[in-house]
Amino acid sequence: MPKISAGRAVVEVLKAEGVRFIFGMPGGHTIGIYDALYGQQEITHVLVRHEQHAASMAAGYAQLTGEPGVCCVTAGPGATNLVTSIAEAFVGALPIVIIAGRGATRNAHRGASQEIDQVRIFAPITKWGIRVDRPDLIVESLRQAFNIARSGKPGPVLVDIPQDVLASDIEFSDYRPVGKPTRSRGGGDQIRAAVAALLSAKRPLIVSGGGAIASDAADEVTRLAEALAIPVTTTLAGRGILPDDHVLAAGGLGHHRQEITKFLLPSADVVLGIGARFEQQETNWKPDYLPSPKATYIQIDVDPAEIGRSVVANIGIVGDAKLVLQDILSEIERSGVAGRANDADARARIEDLGRRRAALESEIAGMVASDSRPLHPIRVLRKIRDAFPRDATVAIDVGVLAQGMGGAFPYFKIYQPRSTIVPSSFYGMGFSASAFPVARLVYPDRPAVCLVGDGSFQMVMNILPVAAELKLGVTWCILNDGALGSIRDIQTQAFEERYIATEFALDLDFAKLAQASGCYGERVTEPSEIEKALKRAIDANEAGQPAVLDFVVAKERLKGSVEFFKR
């Protein structure tokens, strides 16, 4: 059997598993892998300026494609710099394969440079981790890593390879890739019970989460909603499962609640949760943000541990969301009532939802018409949405402006599944903004826009030269209110406006920073300049230049955000 370098074997495994990109930064411990990347064409390496961005971009890749993102870093600081965004991926159930270097085995436990127990550090935020102490185990360890990252509830895994092991030559023959895991169906009794509950419901409601997106269940969710005229609400990770202009689209929960969902959720008599976890951002653990105790709660999740974790399920179905919904639709069809959407109750639901949506849009129209200075953030967000096409990729960072408004229906509409990069309930500032350039790697022909606050952007500003170097036409739109807005709001509401450490004394010139990083940059302060600035940014994008637009906005807040964070 022929022998090749261990670094070459790693690269050959990655090729066989369909890896298109590696996000990382080389170091002395992993240089063998980088040497093996030299000259080959199948895998593109993306050189980040901080390893946190390698993990963010790998997670963004996983979110947009459903395939594992891969990051490669050196030992010690290189690995530990990944932690925050790997934690984000772990909470968000995003598959990532981390390949990390480590000190040589002969120097273990002797104070080697950059030596630290990386497997233990990553244990709480990975599904699996291994230190590969024998060269002949590298290939099988990588095979297991891809299998575990993809299977069941997806998530990050760590393959930790010591420097001397990676420098070895190993036997290597044809590698059989793991491929996609087998999907599981739900139990027949539970499926029939769920259908019976849905067919008897007077006020049904669907809550669709990231699990539905991960399962590629958009078609099944749409068919079920339309068959029974069920309004569809989503978590942030579930946005795009139904186009936001669909007659049954009803908006978000918790932080993103508005008058529509404020009415629909507590009044629903049957709630179908599809890959949705009712975590703090959806509930804040307040009773009126949860299904009524009298409602029948049906929960579909691929992970048995999630059933009933936040809301006790009357009917729990463990299985892949797409397959479970297919079985539910088949059972409905067998029942002979697939046309329920046309009955009087269904028509009344659709008409009522339409009236409520129209009232909300009328309220938004007043905000969009505002000529205030600083700019009204809703005016900015609607102009951004108008400037970018329906299929644009949208990254939404954390914060009361970017996520609280930009992440909320119908203030900023999303039209397609797998078109967003969003944080999980780990809520790491800057995660989406630093993952964002991957949008044009996954979808080269789609425009891409990121909504981010000034506080989050300052955490990850060194992502700009990465996008500029690769000529990725993406636009960061900074909603700049000169503060750590979410925390300042708590000081407003609960601490009698005693503001400390939440307002920035330095008015940073993000436009000049962008220009120095090879990007187009512009500050926007006048309402009449919003659309013109967006056009200039999009023109720059079309020429392969990233853009940063710094919108100076007022400290406006949506009613839903104020209610959610009120103490």
Side-chain angles (χ1 to χ4, degrees):
M1 188 179 294
K3 283 192 172 185
I4 61 175
S5 72
R8 172 74 57 191
V10 170
V11 172
E12 292 303 320
V13 169
L14 298 181
K15 288 180 184 177
E17 290 291 351
V19 173
R20 297 166 53 205
F21 301 99
I22 296 176
F23 308 97
M25 182 179 288
H29 298 86
T30 56
I31 199 67
I33 296 173
Y34 281 83
D35 185 61
L37 286 169
Y38 182 82
Q40 57 79 48
Q41 302 297 318
E42 294 93 330
I43 299 175
T44 299
H45 182 270
V46 176
L47 177 61
V48 297
R49 302 306 191 264
H50 189 287
E51 290 89 350
Q52 180 183 349
H53 306 336
S56 297
M57 293 183 79
Y61 179 85
Q63 206 164 47
L64 293 177
T65 67
E67 291 297 316
V70 176
C71 47
C72 183
V73 295
T74 196
T80 58
N81 280 344
L82 297 173
V83 166
T84 297
S85 289
I86 292 299
E88 187 74 59
F90 180 74
V91 175
L94 301 173
I96 292 178
V97 175
I98 309 161
I99 301 172
R102 191 161 180 163
T105 55
R106 65 180 178 274
N107 295 329
H109 313 299
R110 297 170 59 191
S113 175
Q114 300 184 325
E115 181 181 35
I116 196 166
D117 192 340
Q118 293 166 187
V119 175
R120 287 182 65 190
I121 288 173
F122 282 87
I125 54 172
T126 52
K127 291 181 67 179
W128 180 78
I130 187 171
R131 171 176 167 146
V132 186
D133 278 331
R134 283 171 32 198
D136 60 312
L137 294 178
I138 289 176
V139 171
E140 285 308 311
S141 296
L142 286 168
R143 187 196 309 276
Q144 196 167 356
F146 275 94
N147 185 42
I148 293 171
R150 288 182 171 122
S151 298
K153 180 181 179 179
V157 297
L158 169 68
V159 180
D160 198 24
I161 311 177
Q163 185 177 15
D164 54 336
V165 173
L166 196 54
S168 305
D169 288 338
I170 64 174
E171 293 181 342
F172 187 88
S173 59
D174 290 340
Y175 174 84
R176 182 178 298 174
V178 171
K180 294 184 181 295
T182 302
R183 298 186 176 202
S184 60
R185 307 194 93 93
D189 290 344
Q190 288 87 356
I191 297 289
R192 286 185 286 274
V195 169
L198 289 168
L199 293 180
S200 65
K202 297 297 184 185
R203 297 175 304 281
L205 182 67
I206 290 173
V207 178
S208 191
I213 297 287
S215 181
D216 293 318
D219 182 58
E220 288 75 13
V221 171
T222 303
R223 285 169 54 202
L224 178 60
E226 290 177 347
L228 301 182
I230 306 177
V232 178
T233 64
T234 73
T235 66
L236 180 63
R239 293 203 66 190
I241 199 73
L242 196 71
D244 277 349
D245 54 359
H246 192 286
V247 294
L248 291 170
L253 307 173
H255 191 185
H256 301 132
R257 187 176 76 163
Q258 22 63 14
E259 292 304 312
I260 298 171
T261 46
K262 190 175 181 179
F263 164 76
L264 286 176
L265 183 60
S267 64
D269 59 348
V270 175
V271 177
L272 174 61
I274 308 170
R277 298 185 289 203
F278 278 104
E279 295 176 320
Q280 186 173 359
Q281 284 300 312
E282 287 94 50
T283 66
N284 211 6
W285 315 129
K286 294 179 180 179
D288 56 335
Y289 284 81
L290 295 165
S292 166
K294 297 178 181 179
T296 298
Y297 179 49
I298 307 165
Q299 184 177 6
I300 301 170
D301 205 287
V302 73
D303 183 3
E306 290 293 344
I307 302 295
R309 188 161 76 110
S310 294
V311 178
V312 176
N314 302 90
I315 304 168
I317 306 174
V318 178
D320 177 82
K322 186 179 186 74
L323 297 186
V324 171
L325 290 173
Q326 287 175 358
D327 290 344
I328 286 175
L329 286 162
S330 296
E331 186 68 23
I332 291 172
E333 193 172 332
R334 280 193 292 272
S335 72
V337 293
R340 178 66 64 87
N342 295 316
D343 68 24
D345 286 342
R347 289 198 302 272
R349 278 199 300 274
I350 294 172
E351 290 169 3
D352 180 67
L353 179 56
R355 285 192 294 271
R356 293 176 186 274
R357 284 171 51 133
L360 189 54
E361 288 288 357
S362 177
E363 180 184 323
I364 292 169
M367 303 178 195
V368 174
S370 171
D371 285 325
S372 66
R373 299 171 185 78
L375 305 170
H376 197 296
I378 295 299
R379 175 165 182 158
V380 174
L381 288 168
R382 274 297 173 95
K383 295 301 181 183
I384 294 170
R385 180 66 276 184
D386 291 344
F388 283 84
R390 288 175 69 94
D391 67 349
T393 308
V394 181
I396 300 169
D397 215 291
V398 308
V400 75
L401 293 175
Q403 182 173 337
M405 294 184 180
F409 165 100
Y411 303 93
F412 194 95
K413 292 184 172 72
I414 304 295
Y415 299 105
Q416 294 183 193
R418 294 206 186 278
S419 64
T420 62
I421 299 173
V422 296
S424 69
S425 62
F426 191 67
Y427 214 61
M429 291 176 67
F431 164 73
S432 297
S434 59
F436 175 50
V438 81
R440 285 307 280 260
L441 296 176
V442 173
Y443 303 127
D445 299 325
R446 292 189 193 178
V449 63
C450 177
L451 311 176
V452 59
D454 51 319
S456 290
F457 189 73
Q458 288 182 72
M459 288 192 164
V460 296
M461 296 184 294
N462 55 346
I463 193 63
L464 295 182
V466 178
E469 185 173 83
L470 296 174
K471 296 180 169 52
L472 299 175
V474 298
T475 294
W476 285 268
C477 291
I478 303 173
L479 303 173
N480 181 0
D481 66 352
L484 298 171
S486 298
I487 310 306
R488 187 183 183 279
D489 286 356
I490 297 172
Q491 292 173 332
T492 300
Q493 296 165 21
F495 293 91
E496 299 178 349
E497 300 184 6
R498 295 192 294 274
Y499 300 121
I500 179 171
T502 52
E503 297 180 328
F504 299 118
L506 175 65
D507 184 17
L508 186 60
D509 193 329
F510 293 113
K512 287 184 178 177
L513 178 79
Q515 293 159 15
S517 300
C519 302
Y520 176 79
E522 183 175 350
R523 171 170 279 201
V524 186
T525 58
E526 292 295 321
S528 61
E529 289 299 311
I530 296 173
E531 291 166 278
K532 298 173 187 175
L534 285 164
K535 184 180 186 307
R536 288 188 283 268
I538 291 170
D539 287 345
N541 288 174
E542 289 176 351
Q545 185 182 30
V548 175
L549 296 180
D550 178 14
F551 293 100
V552 180
V553 298
K555 293 180 174 64
E556 296 284 348
R557 301 295 183 256
L558 295 179
K559 182 181 177 182
S561 288
V562 174
E563 290 177 344
F564 183 77
F565 288 111
K566 191 173 183 180
R567 298 188 173 193

